């Protein structure tokens, strides 16, 4: 079974500053994917960034980067130059690429990010 | 709009009534998922379809819940004899199957259907 832990229920960041959202995971599967989603108050889950377990480099997508430390089983999301529109819930998720559950994402409880003007 | 579409967006019902939610996935996606999200929690997996076949159901999906995807396109999630504990956001997502290459199996979500049971 997979487990995602997000230890920060809420975070505040000043506009234009960088912020790191923590995520640790637990899995016995050798091959897996890690995902971050943003959920604004409207409710839709918006995909942000992906990291494969065998990827050698940390993923980046615009202002988002993923600090992947495989040995520590952590996949922290870094948002640079925060904007007011970044205020939302952020969820870390993973899916194994083999065995039972390879069709579904397992999510953490999320971190609520508030960007202060 | 070619994204995942869900309706109704909001449903308020009295305990004991039946409700049905509909999901229209992205047209070329053969996989469809239902998740449930309660306040302060991440989405929890309910069930999964590959084409019209329902391949997995979570133990969260009691016998009052039934999901269908009759022609491998849209899907419905019905809750019979609703209870107050069923109040939640019901999220639908779709994806391509994992076929190597750059396909990561990313799920594309709809905006959800929020159920309130009084």
């Amino acid at each position: 079974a997979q487990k995602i832990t997000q230890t920060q229920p809420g975070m505040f960041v000043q506009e234009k500053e960088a912020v790191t959202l923590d995520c640790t995971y637990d899995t016995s599967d050798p091959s897996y994917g890690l995902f971050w989603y943003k959920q604004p108050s409207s409710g839709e889950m918006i995909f942000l960034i992906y990291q494969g377990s065998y990827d050698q480099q940390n993923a980046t997508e615009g202002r988002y980067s993923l600090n992947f430390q495989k040995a520590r089983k952590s996949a922290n999301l870094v948002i640079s130059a925060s904007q007011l529109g970044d205020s939302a819930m952020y969820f870390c998720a993973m899916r194994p690429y083999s065995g039972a559950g390879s069709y579904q994402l397992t999510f953490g409880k999320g971190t609520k990010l508030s960007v202060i003007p | 709009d070619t994204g995942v579409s869900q309706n109704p967006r909001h449903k308020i019902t009295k305990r004991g009534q039946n409700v049905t939610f509909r999901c229209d996935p992205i047209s070329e996606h053969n996989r469809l998922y239902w998740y449930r999200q309660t306040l302060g929690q991440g989405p929890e997996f309910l069930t999964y379809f590959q084409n019209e076949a329902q391949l997995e159901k979570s133990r969260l999906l009691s016998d009052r819940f039934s999901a269908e995807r009759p022609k491998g396109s849209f899907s419905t999630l019905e809750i019979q004899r609703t209870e107050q504990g069923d109040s939640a956001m019901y999220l639908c997502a779709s994806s391509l199957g994992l076929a190597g290459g750059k396909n990561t199996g990313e799920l594309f979500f709809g905006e959800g259907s929020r159920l309130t049971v009084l």
Side-chain angles (χ1 to χ4, degrees), chain A residues 3 7 22-23 32 34 39 49 57 59 64 69-70 82 108 115:
Chain A
K3 184 178 179 182
T7 57
D22 294 341
C23 172
Y32 50 88
L34 295 156
Q39 188 178 42
I49 194 167
Q57 293 187 329
Y64 304 108
Q69 298 188 45
K70 192 171 182 177
S82 297
V115 180

Side-chain angles (χ1 to χ4, degrees), chain A residues 35 37 39 41-47 50 89 91 95-97 102-110, chain B residues 9 31 33 35 37 40-43 45 48 56 89 91 95 98 104-112:
Chain A
F35 303 77
Y37 282 82
Q39 188 178 42
S41 56
S42 61
E44 183 179 3
M45 299 285 284
I46 301 168
F47 167 73
Y50 162 82
M89 286 291 293
F91 291 96
R95 70 182 293 176
Y97 288 139
S102 62
Y103 42 77
Q104 60 172 288
L105 287 179
T106 299
F107 287 85
K109 291 188 175 184
Chain B
R9 294 289 314 282
R31 296 186 173 194
Y33 311 77
Y35 281 77
Q37 185 179 22
Q41 302 294 319
F45 170 77
Y48 153 69
E56 186 66 23
M89 176 78 86
L91 293 165
S95 76
L98 294 175
T104 64
E106 167 199 344
L107 270 59
F108 295 80
F109 284 85
E111 292 184 312

